[in-house]
Each structure stands twice: as C-alpha cells, then as structure tokens.
Amino acid sequence: MAPDLVPAHVGIIMDGNGRWARERNLPRTHGHGEGLKAAKRIVRAASDLGIRCLSLYAFSTENWKRATDEVSYLMDLIKTHLKQEFRFYRENGVRVVHSGNRSGLPADILAEIDETARETAGFTGLTVNLLVNYGGRDEIIRAANKASETGALTEKSLSAALDNPEFPELDLLIRTGREYRISNFLLWQSAYAELWFSDKYWPDWEASDLAEAVAGYQKRNRRFGSV
Ligand code: IPE
Ligand code: IPE
Ligand code: MG
C-alpha cells in the first residue's frame, strides 16, 4: 500500500449492531458487545495501515431517544471498556481523545474518558477520537459560540474551536450496516471527505474490510473544486 496515499484521518459510523443481533435472535445489547470487539480489531488494523487519526462514532446526541436499557448498556460498555483496556491502548501505542458534548454526559463516564485521555496522552501511534454524545450540529454550534467570543467568525476561527482542532480534515468517511446517510457525523470536517459505504454490519467488520476501504480511497481522484 502506497504510504503517501494512506488517509490521515478516517472516520467510521459503526452501524448495524442491533440488526446483527436480531438476525441471530439475540438481544440488541449483544450486538453492541460484538461491536466493541470489532472496534478493537479495527483500531489495530488502522494502526497497522499507518492511519494517524481514527474517529469512531460510539454514541450520538440523538441516541438518547433509545430505550433506557439500551442507553445504560451502551454507557456502561464504554465506561467498562475504558476502565479495563489501558493495556490494549499501551500495547498499540494508541492515544485516546473525546469529541462530543460533555455537559450531557454522566459524571462517571466523563471521569473514565478524561482518565484514559490523560493516561494515553504520551502515546505516539494512532490517535483514536471517541465520539460520545456527539452531534455534528452540536459541535458546530458550540464551536461558533466559542469562536465568536473572540471576534468575527471565520472558517479558521471556527475550525480552531472544534472539539479536536489539531485533527486534520476527514479524508475517508466509512459507514457500515447498509445505511447511506451521515446521521450528524463530523459535518464540518467531512466537507471534502471521500465516502465509503459497506453493506456488512459493524460486528462483522475485519481488518480486510478496512484495507479494502483504504484501497478504494486510494483510487479516488480528489479535486477539492479544482480541475
Ligand atoms: C450502531 O448500531 C451502534 C450505535 C448507534 C450505538 P445500531 O445500534 O444503530 O444498530 P442498528 O442500526 O439498529 O442495526
Ligand atoms: C449513527 O447510527 C450513530 C452511531 C453509529 C453512534 P444510528 O443508528 O443512530 O443512525 P440512524 O438513526 O440510523 O440515522
Ligand atoms: Mg443504527
């Protein structure tokens, strides 16, 4: 794989956990458990491919509309994972950061997110951006409010006020699970992202699926408005 053509920032809308479970007559929550295993496989695969930044959509600002049981299960899964997996991050040299609205998140989740970010801050491999209580519109509004405190709103000032301003713009946006929409994911950052849709449900994703998406990306002709 041509290293100069590896996308710097890949974002994944990890979708299809519930349908994966339903097809097996399992509860939706079981699908989320398998989805977490897939996320770990793909973090390793992204590292191996030399991707610098990986944004993973774990919980949207709209996902609170789901049944309370499912919401608590997801919050617990995120919390337990962060508590238990420091070794996984250390072994893979992965730095973890968060994007999303902090004010809507329970204190115990925030504490785990912050602790993981602190403990992994010195790791120099892949950066994983966990999107929890994240909405693209919400991020833009928060950034616009912050940026307008210090002067006129410009693309530059708004970009600098995003949750992780050091991240490059999104190069490759992947959505799994047979849905072909953006669902409020990284709206600002995806202005010129290449889109890749996979019909596989997220729990079925393997390293080879990521390699295929990146190979597809490498065949695209990105023009950014020029000819
Ligand atoms: C994606 O899978 C995971 C989250 C949104 C947390 P879903 O739970 O949306 O699975 P489907 O789309 O219902 O199959
Ligand atoms: C997007 O998936 C959110 C995450 C993957 C976390 P959804 O399943 O919530 O999206 P919609 O409702 O199908 O658009
Ligand atoms: Mg879904």
Side-chain angles (χ1 to χ4, degrees), residues 84-113:
Q84 293 176 348
E85 299 283 4
F86 175 69
R87 206 170 132 200
F88 167 77
Y89 290 116
R90 191 186 53 211
E91 280 170 3
N92 292 282
V94 171
R95 182 169 78 100
V96 179
V97 297
H98 169 246
S99 284
N101 194 320
R102 297 178 60 89
S103 66
L105 279 170
D108 57 338
I109 300 283
L110 272 181
E112 286 307 328
I113 287 174

PDB file of all heavy atoms in Angstrom, residues 84-113:
ATOM      1  N   GLN A  84     -10.939  -0.906  31.681  1.00  0.00           N
ATOM      2  CA  GLN A  84     -10.199  -2.173  31.620  1.00  0.00           C
ATOM      3  C   GLN A  84      -9.133  -2.240  30.544  1.00  0.00           C
ATOM      4  O   GLN A  84      -8.306  -3.157  30.559  1.00  0.00           O
ATOM      5  CB  GLN A  84     -11.181  -3.327  31.393  1.00  0.00           C
ATOM      6  CG  GLN A  84     -12.105  -3.546  32.568  1.00  0.00           C
ATOM      7  CD  GLN A  84     -13.133  -4.623  32.292  1.00  0.00           C
ATOM      8  OE1 GLN A  84     -13.309  -5.057  31.144  1.00  0.00           O
ATOM      9  NE2 GLN A  84     -13.827  -5.055  33.334  1.00  0.00           N
ATOM     10  N   GLU A  85      -9.162  -1.336  29.594  1.00  0.00           N
ATOM     11  CA  GLU A  85      -8.351  -1.574  28.396  1.00  0.00           C
ATOM     12  C   GLU A  85      -7.130  -0.681  28.267  1.00  0.00           C
ATOM     13  O   GLU A  85      -6.639  -0.467  27.161  1.00  0.00           O
ATOM     14  CB  GLU A  85      -9.226  -1.449  27.140  1.00  0.00           C
ATOM     15  CG  GLU A  85     -10.351  -2.447  27.089  1.00  0.00           C
ATOM     16  CD  GLU A  85      -9.904  -3.849  26.702  1.00  0.00           C
ATOM     17  OE1 GLU A  85      -8.687  -4.079  26.547  1.00  0.00           O
ATOM     18  OE2 GLU A  85     -10.792  -4.703  26.567  1.00  0.00           O
ATOM     19  N   PHE A  86      -6.629  -0.174  29.367  1.00  0.00           N
ATOM     20  CA  PHE A  86      -5.426   0.650  29.263  1.00  0.00           C
ATOM     21  C   PHE A  86      -4.292  -0.131  28.583  1.00  0.00           C
ATOM     22  O   PHE A  86      -3.562   0.394  27.754  1.00  0.00           O
ATOM     23  CB  PHE A  86      -4.978   1.148  30.642  1.00  0.00           C
ATOM     24  CG  PHE A  86      -3.680   1.889  30.588  1.00  0.00           C
ATOM     25  CD1 PHE A  86      -3.602   3.131  29.964  1.00  0.00           C
ATOM     26  CD2 PHE A  86      -2.520   1.335  31.112  1.00  0.00           C
ATOM     27  CE1 PHE A  86      -2.390   3.812  29.882  1.00  0.00           C
ATOM     28  CE2 PHE A  86      -1.306   2.013  31.031  1.00  0.00           C
ATOM     29  CZ  PHE A  86      -1.246   3.256  30.421  1.00  0.00           C
ATOM     30  N   ARG A  87      -4.202  -1.431  28.935  1.00  0.00           N
ATOM     31  CA  ARG A  87      -3.146  -2.265  28.366  1.00  0.00           C
ATOM     32  C   ARG A  87      -3.259  -2.354  26.837  1.00  0.00           C
ATOM     33  O   ARG A  87      -2.254  -2.302  26.125  1.00  0.00           O
ATOM     34  CB  ARG A  87      -3.254  -3.660  28.979  1.00  0.00           C
ATOM     35  CG  ARG A  87      -1.926  -4.346  28.948  1.00  0.00           C
ATOM     36  CD  ARG A  87      -1.943  -5.622  29.750  1.00  0.00           C
ATOM     37  NE  ARG A  87      -1.338  -6.653  28.924  1.00  0.00           N
ATOM     38  CZ  ARG A  87      -1.518  -7.945  29.111  1.00  0.00           C
ATOM     39  NH1 ARG A  87      -2.296  -8.370  30.082  1.00  0.00           N
ATOM     40  NH2 ARG A  87      -0.937  -8.810  28.320  1.00  0.00           N
ATOM     41  N   PHE A  88      -4.482  -2.479  26.370  1.00  0.00           N
ATOM     42  CA  PHE A  88      -4.721  -2.527  24.918  1.00  0.00           C
ATOM     43  C   PHE A  88      -4.199  -1.251  24.254  1.00  0.00           C
ATOM     44  O   PHE A  88      -3.521  -1.297  23.230  1.00  0.00           O
ATOM     45  CB  PHE A  88      -6.232  -2.696  24.661  1.00  0.00           C
ATOM     46  CG  PHE A  88      -6.655  -2.453  23.241  1.00  0.00           C
ATOM     47  CD1 PHE A  88      -6.430  -3.413  22.259  1.00  0.00           C
ATOM     48  CD2 PHE A  88      -7.282  -1.263  22.877  1.00  0.00           C
ATOM     49  CE1 PHE A  88      -6.817  -3.193  20.942  1.00  0.00           C
ATOM     50  CE2 PHE A  88      -7.676  -1.037  21.568  1.00  0.00           C
ATOM     51  CZ  PHE A  88      -7.441  -2.001  20.598  1.00  0.00           C
ATOM     52  N   TYR A  89      -4.469  -0.117  24.869  1.00  0.00           N
ATOM     53  CA  TYR A  89      -4.014   1.151  24.292  1.00  0.00           C
ATOM     54  C   TYR A  89      -2.494   1.283  24.376  1.00  0.00           C
ATOM     55  O   TYR A  89      -1.854   1.732  23.431  1.00  0.00           O
ATOM     56  CB  TYR A  89      -4.717   2.332  24.982  1.00  0.00           C
ATOM     57  CG  TYR A  89      -6.186   2.406  24.621  1.00  0.00           C
ATOM     58  CD1 TYR A  89      -7.191   2.230  25.573  1.00  0.00           C
ATOM     59  CD2 TYR A  89      -6.580   2.620  23.293  1.00  0.00           C
ATOM     60  CE1 TYR A  89      -8.533   2.264  25.220  1.00  0.00           C
ATOM     61  CE2 TYR A  89      -7.915   2.657  22.932  1.00  0.00           C
ATOM     62  CZ  TYR A  89      -8.894   2.482  23.898  1.00  0.00           C
ATOM     63  OH  TYR A  89     -10.221   2.516  23.544  1.00  0.00           O
ATOM     64  N   ARG A  90      -1.936   0.840  25.510  1.00  0.00           N
ATOM     65  CA  ARG A  90      -0.484   0.942  25.664  1.00  0.00           C
ATOM     66  C   ARG A  90       0.234   0.051  24.655  1.00  0.00           C
ATOM     67  O   ARG A  90       1.158   0.467  23.979  1.00  0.00           O
ATOM     68  CB  ARG A  90      -0.079   0.552  27.088  1.00  0.00           C
ATOM     69  CG  ARG A  90       1.388   0.889  27.388  1.00  0.00           C
ATOM     70  CD  ARG A  90       1.824   0.376  28.748  1.00  0.00           C
ATOM     71  NE  ARG A  90       1.528  -1.040  28.876  1.00  0.00           N
ATOM     72  CZ  ARG A  90       1.217  -1.641  30.030  1.00  0.00           C
ATOM     73  NH1 ARG A  90       1.140  -0.964  31.143  1.00  0.00           N
ATOM     74  NH2 ARG A  90       0.963  -2.938  30.059  1.00  0.00           N
ATOM     75  N   GLU A  91      -0.246  -1.212  24.532  1.00  0.00           N
ATOM     76  CA  GLU A  91       0.413  -2.157  23.618  1.00  0.00           C
ATOM     77  C   GLU A  91       0.374  -1.666  22.177  1.00  0.00           C
ATOM     78  O   GLU A  91       1.264  -1.961  21.396  1.00  0.00           O
ATOM     79  CB  GLU A  91      -0.258  -3.533  23.705  1.00  0.00           C
ATOM     80  CG  GLU A  91       0.231  -4.310  24.905  1.00  0.00           C
ATOM     81  CD  GLU A  91      -0.579  -5.584  25.163  1.00  0.00           C
ATOM     82  OE1 GLU A  91      -1.504  -5.902  24.362  1.00  0.00           O
ATOM     83  OE2 GLU A  91      -0.298  -6.227  26.178  1.00  0.00           O
ATOM     84  N   ASN A  92      -0.676  -0.933  21.841  1.00  0.00           N
ATOM     85  CA  ASN A  92      -0.799  -0.462  20.457  1.00  0.00           C
ATOM     86  C   ASN A  92      -0.353   0.992  20.299  1.00  0.00           C
ATOM     87  O   ASN A  92      -0.466   1.564  19.211  1.00  0.00           O
ATOM     88  CB  ASN A  92      -2.248  -0.638  19.976  1.00  0.00           C
ATOM     89  CG  ASN A  92      -2.622  -2.105  19.845  1.00  0.00           C
ATOM     90  OD1 ASN A  92      -2.254  -2.765  18.880  1.00  0.00           O
ATOM     91  ND2 ASN A  92      -3.308  -2.649  20.849  1.00  0.00           N
ATOM     92  N   GLY A  93       0.140   1.584  21.369  1.00  0.00           N
ATOM     93  CA  GLY A  93       0.626   2.970  21.305  1.00  0.00           C
ATOM     94  C   GLY A  93      -0.464   3.970  20.955  1.00  0.00           C
ATOM     95  O   GLY A  93      -0.208   5.004  20.336  1.00  0.00           O
ATOM     96  N   VAL A  94      -1.684   3.665  21.358  1.00  0.00           N
ATOM     97  CA  VAL A  94      -2.837   4.470  20.935  1.00  0.00           C
ATOM     98  C   VAL A  94      -3.159   5.571  21.949  1.00  0.00           C
ATOM     99  O   VAL A  94      -3.284   5.311  23.146  1.00  0.00           O
ATOM    100  CB  VAL A  94      -4.083   3.567  20.742  1.00  0.00           C
ATOM    101  CG1 VAL A  94      -5.336   4.388  20.532  1.00  0.00           C
ATOM    102  CG2 VAL A  94      -3.872   2.626  19.565  1.00  0.00           C
ATOM    103  N   ARG A  95      -3.295   6.771  21.437  1.00  0.00           N
ATOM    104  CA  ARG A  95      -3.721   7.914  22.253  1.00  0.00           C
ATOM    105  C   ARG A  95      -5.224   8.074  22.065  1.00  0.00           C
ATOM    106  O   ARG A  95      -5.728   7.940  20.943  1.00  0.00           O
ATOM    107  CB  ARG A  95      -2.996   9.162  21.729  1.00  0.00           C
ATOM    108  CG  ARG A  95      -3.261  10.443  22.480  1.00  0.00           C
ATOM    109  CD  ARG A  95      -2.266  11.510  22.014  1.00  0.00           C
ATOM    110  NE  ARG A  95      -2.638  12.086  20.732  1.00  0.00           N
ATOM    111  CZ  ARG A  95      -3.264  13.258  20.600  1.00  0.00           C
ATOM    112  NH1 ARG A  95      -3.593  13.971  21.660  1.00  0.00           N
ATOM    113  NH2 ARG A  95      -3.552  13.717  19.402  1.00  0.00           N
ATOM    114  N   VAL A  96      -5.942   8.336  23.146  1.00  0.00           N
ATOM    115  CA  VAL A  96      -7.401   8.456  23.069  1.00  0.00           C
ATOM    116  C   VAL A  96      -7.820   9.892  23.372  1.00  0.00           C
ATOM    117  O   VAL A  96      -7.353  10.492  24.341  1.00  0.00           O
ATOM    118  CB  VAL A  96      -8.095   7.494  24.065  1.00  0.00           C
ATOM    119  CG1 VAL A  96      -9.612   7.631  23.994  1.00  0.00           C
ATOM    120  CG2 VAL A  96      -7.682   6.048  23.787  1.00  0.00           C
ATOM    121  N   VAL A  97      -8.690  10.435  22.536  1.00  0.00           N
ATOM    122  CA  VAL A  97      -9.297  11.740  22.805  1.00  0.00           C
ATOM    123  C   VAL A  97     -10.818  11.612  22.638  1.00  0.00           C
ATOM    124  O   VAL A  97     -11.306  10.611  22.110  1.00  0.00           O
ATOM    125  CB  VAL A  97      -8.739  12.854  21.869  1.00  0.00           C
ATOM    126  CG1 VAL A  97      -7.249  13.069  22.091  1.00  0.00           C
ATOM    127  CG2 VAL A  97      -9.021  12.542  20.398  1.00  0.00           C
ATOM    128  N   HIS A  98     -11.529  12.614  23.097  1.00  0.00           N
ATOM    129  CA  HIS A  98     -13.001  12.571  23.028  1.00  0.00           C
ATOM    130  C   HIS A  98     -13.535  13.743  22.219  1.00  0.00           C
ATOM    131  O   HIS A  98     -12.998  14.853  22.300  1.00  0.00           O
ATOM    132  CB  HIS A  98     -13.580  12.630  24.457  1.00  0.00           C
ATOM    133  CG  HIS A  98     -15.059  12.842  24.509  1.00  0.00           C
ATOM    134  ND1 HIS A  98     -15.631  13.996  25.020  1.00  0.00           N
ATOM    135  CD2 HIS A  98     -16.095  12.061  24.087  1.00  0.00           C
ATOM    136  CE1 HIS A  98     -16.955  13.896  24.935  1.00  0.00           C
ATOM    137  NE2 HIS A  98     -17.254  12.744  24.377  1.00  0.00           N
ATOM    138  N   SER A  99     -14.579  13.492  21.444  1.00  0.00           N
ATOM    139  CA  SER A  99     -15.364  14.571  20.856  1.00  0.00           C
ATOM    140  C   SER A  99     -16.800  14.388  21.289  1.00  0.00           C
ATOM    141  O   SER A  99     -17.297  13.263  21.345  1.00  0.00           O
ATOM    142  CB  SER A  99     -15.320  14.519  19.317  1.00  0.00           C
ATOM    143  OG  SER A  99     -14.104  14.994  18.826  1.00  0.00           O
ATOM    144  N   GLY A 100     -17.461  15.497  21.562  1.00  0.00           N
ATOM    145  CA  GLY A 100     -18.867  15.420  21.935  1.00  0.00           C
ATOM    146  C   GLY A 100     -19.184  16.421  23.023  1.00  0.00           C
ATOM    147  O   GLY A 100     -18.298  17.120  23.526  1.00  0.00           O
ATOM    148  N   ASN A 101     -20.467  16.464  23.368  1.00  0.00           N
ATOM    149  CA  ASN A 101     -20.948  17.438  24.349  1.00  0.00           C
ATOM    150  C   ASN A 101     -20.770  16.880  25.759  1.00  0.00           C
ATOM    151  O   ASN A 101     -21.445  15.932  26.159  1.00  0.00           O
ATOM    152  CB  ASN A 101     -22.424  17.751  24.081  1.00  0.00           C
ATOM    153  CG  ASN A 101     -22.874  18.983  24.819  1.00  0.00           C
ATOM    154  OD1 ASN A 101     -22.483  19.195  25.978  1.00  0.00           O
ATOM    155  ND2 ASN A 101     -23.678  19.798  24.181  1.00  0.00           N
ATOM    156  N   ARG A 102     -19.841  17.458  26.492  1.00  0.00           N
ATOM    157  CA  ARG A 102     -19.549  16.983  27.840  1.00  0.00           C
ATOM    158  C   ARG A 102     -20.717  17.203  28.784  1.00  0.00           C
ATOM    159  O   ARG A 102     -20.952  16.384  29.678  1.00  0.00           O
ATOM    160  CB  ARG A 102     -18.311  17.697  28.393  1.00  0.00           C
ATOM    161  CG  ARG A 102     -17.045  17.407  27.593  1.00  0.00           C
ATOM    162  CD  ARG A 102     -15.876  18.190  28.158  1.00  0.00           C
ATOM    163  NE  ARG A 102     -15.603  17.852  29.548  1.00  0.00           N
ATOM    164  CZ  ARG A 102     -14.787  16.873  29.949  1.00  0.00           C
ATOM    165  NH1 ARG A 102     -14.144  16.158  29.061  1.00  0.00           N
ATOM    166  NH2 ARG A 102     -14.604  16.640  31.234  1.00  0.00           N
ATOM    167  N   SER A 103     -21.446  18.306  28.587  1.00  0.00           N
ATOM    168  CA  SER A 103     -22.461  18.661  29.578  1.00  0.00           C
ATOM    169  C   SER A 103     -23.611  17.649  29.622  1.00  0.00           C
ATOM    170  O   SER A 103     -24.285  17.542  30.628  1.00  0.00           O
ATOM    171  CB  SER A 103     -22.976  20.081  29.340  1.00  0.00           C
ATOM    172  OG  SER A 103     -23.660  20.141  28.120  1.00  0.00           O
ATOM    173  N   GLY A 104     -23.805  16.879  28.566  1.00  0.00           N
ATOM    174  CA  GLY A 104     -24.895  15.902  28.605  1.00  0.00           C
ATOM    175  C   GLY A 104     -24.479  14.535  29.119  1.00  0.00           C
ATOM    176  O   GLY A 104     -25.296  13.621  29.187  1.00  0.00           O
ATOM    177  N   LEU A 105     -23.206  14.382  29.473  1.00  0.00           N
ATOM    178  CA  LEU A 105     -22.718  13.039  29.829  1.00  0.00           C
ATOM    179  C   LEU A 105     -22.666  12.824  31.343  1.00  0.00           C
ATOM    180  O   LEU A 105     -22.289  13.735  32.077  1.00  0.00           O
ATOM    181  CB  LEU A 105     -21.325  12.819  29.242  1.00  0.00           C
ATOM    182  CG  LEU A 105     -21.281  12.430  27.771  1.00  0.00           C
ATOM    183  CD1 LEU A 105     -19.850  12.481  27.250  1.00  0.00           C
ATOM    184  CD2 LEU A 105     -21.871  11.039  27.531  1.00  0.00           C
ATOM    185  N   PRO A 106     -23.005  11.612  31.816  1.00  0.00           N
ATOM    186  CA  PRO A 106     -22.900  11.309  33.241  1.00  0.00           C
ATOM    187  C   PRO A 106     -21.461  11.482  33.730  1.00  0.00           C
ATOM    188  O   PRO A 106     -20.515  11.207  32.979  1.00  0.00           O
ATOM    189  CB  PRO A 106     -23.314   9.839  33.341  1.00  0.00           C
ATOM    190  CG  PRO A 106     -23.940   9.485  32.044  1.00  0.00           C
ATOM    191  CD  PRO A 106     -23.490  10.470  31.032  1.00  0.00           C
ATOM    192  N   ALA A 107     -21.324  11.911  34.982  1.00  0.00           N
ATOM    193  CA  ALA A 107     -20.001  12.221  35.539  1.00  0.00           C
ATOM    194  C   ALA A 107     -19.052  11.023  35.515  1.00  0.00           C
ATOM    195  O   ALA A 107     -17.850  11.183  35.270  1.00  0.00           O
ATOM    196  CB  ALA A 107     -20.167  12.735  36.966  1.00  0.00           C
ATOM    197  N   ASP A 108     -19.590   9.813  35.755  1.00  0.00           N
ATOM    198  CA  ASP A 108     -18.681   8.648  35.803  1.00  0.00           C
ATOM    199  C   ASP A 108     -18.095   8.332  34.424  1.00  0.00           C
ATOM    200  O   ASP A 108     -16.939   7.903  34.317  1.00  0.00           O
ATOM    201  CB  ASP A 108     -19.386   7.424  36.424  1.00  0.00           C
ATOM    202  CG  ASP A 108     -20.659   7.039  35.700  1.00  0.00           C
ATOM    203  OD1 ASP A 108     -21.248   7.895  35.001  1.00  0.00           O
ATOM    204  OD2 ASP A 108     -21.077   5.868  35.821  1.00  0.00           O
ATOM    205  N   ILE A 109     -18.877   8.558  33.375  1.00  0.00           N
ATOM    206  CA  ILE A 109     -18.366   8.335  32.009  1.00  0.00           C
ATOM    207  C   ILE A 109     -17.287   9.374  31.700  1.00  0.00           C
ATOM    208  O   ILE A 109     -16.211   9.036  31.179  1.00  0.00           O
ATOM    209  CB  ILE A 109     -19.504   8.494  30.964  1.00  0.00           C
ATOM    210  CG1 ILE A 109     -20.622   7.500  31.219  1.00  0.00           C
ATOM    211  CG2 ILE A 109     -18.961   8.392  29.540  1.00  0.00           C
ATOM    212  CD1 ILE A 109     -20.299   6.119  30.765  1.00  0.00           C
ATOM    213  N   LEU A 110     -17.589  10.621  32.035  1.00  0.00           N
ATOM    214  CA  LEU A 110     -16.620  11.699  31.784  1.00  0.00           C
ATOM    215  C   LEU A 110     -15.309  11.436  32.499  1.00  0.00           C
ATOM    216  O   LEU A 110     -14.233  11.652  31.936  1.00  0.00           O
ATOM    217  CB  LEU A 110     -17.192  13.037  32.265  1.00  0.00           C
ATOM    218  CG  LEU A 110     -18.034  13.820  31.276  1.00  0.00           C
ATOM    219  CD1 LEU A 110     -18.498  15.111  31.914  1.00  0.00           C
ATOM    220  CD2 LEU A 110     -17.264  14.101  29.984  1.00  0.00           C
ATOM    221  N   ALA A 111     -15.417  10.946  33.738  1.00  0.00           N
ATOM    222  CA  ALA A 111     -14.207  10.682  34.513  1.00  0.00           C
ATOM    223  C   ALA A 111     -13.349   9.627  33.817  1.00  0.00           C
ATOM    224  O   ALA A 111     -12.131   9.767  33.718  1.00  0.00           O
ATOM    225  CB  ALA A 111     -14.579  10.233  35.923  1.00  0.00           C
ATOM    226  N   GLU A 112     -13.979   8.555  33.298  1.00  0.00           N
ATOM    227  CA  GLU A 112     -13.218   7.499  32.601  1.00  0.00           C
ATOM    228  C   GLU A 112     -12.612   8.030  31.301  1.00  0.00           C
ATOM    229  O   GLU A 112     -11.479   7.701  30.956  1.00  0.00           O
ATOM    230  CB  GLU A 112     -14.106   6.281  32.294  1.00  0.00           C
ATOM    231  CG  GLU A 112     -14.437   5.423  33.492  1.00  0.00           C
ATOM    232  CD  GLU A 112     -13.226   4.968  34.305  1.00  0.00           C
ATOM    233  OE1 GLU A 112     -12.133   4.767  33.725  1.00  0.00           O
ATOM    234  OE2 GLU A 112     -13.369   4.831  35.528  1.00  0.00           O
ATOM    235  N   ILE A 113     -13.398   8.819  30.579  1.00  0.00           N
ATOM    236  CA  ILE A 113     -12.896   9.394  29.321  1.00  0.00           C
ATOM    237  C   ILE A 113     -11.668  10.255  29.608  1.00  0.00           C
ATOM    238  O   ILE A 113     -10.631  10.131  28.951  1.00  0.00           O
ATOM    239  CB  ILE A 113     -14.002  10.232  28.629  1.00  0.00           C
ATOM    240  CG1 ILE A 113     -15.082   9.318  28.031  1.00  0.00           C
ATOM    241  CG2 ILE A 113     -13.406  11.144  27.548  1.00  0.00           C
ATOM    242  CD1 ILE A 113     -16.283  10.055  27.449  1.00  0.00           C
TER     243      ILE A 113
END
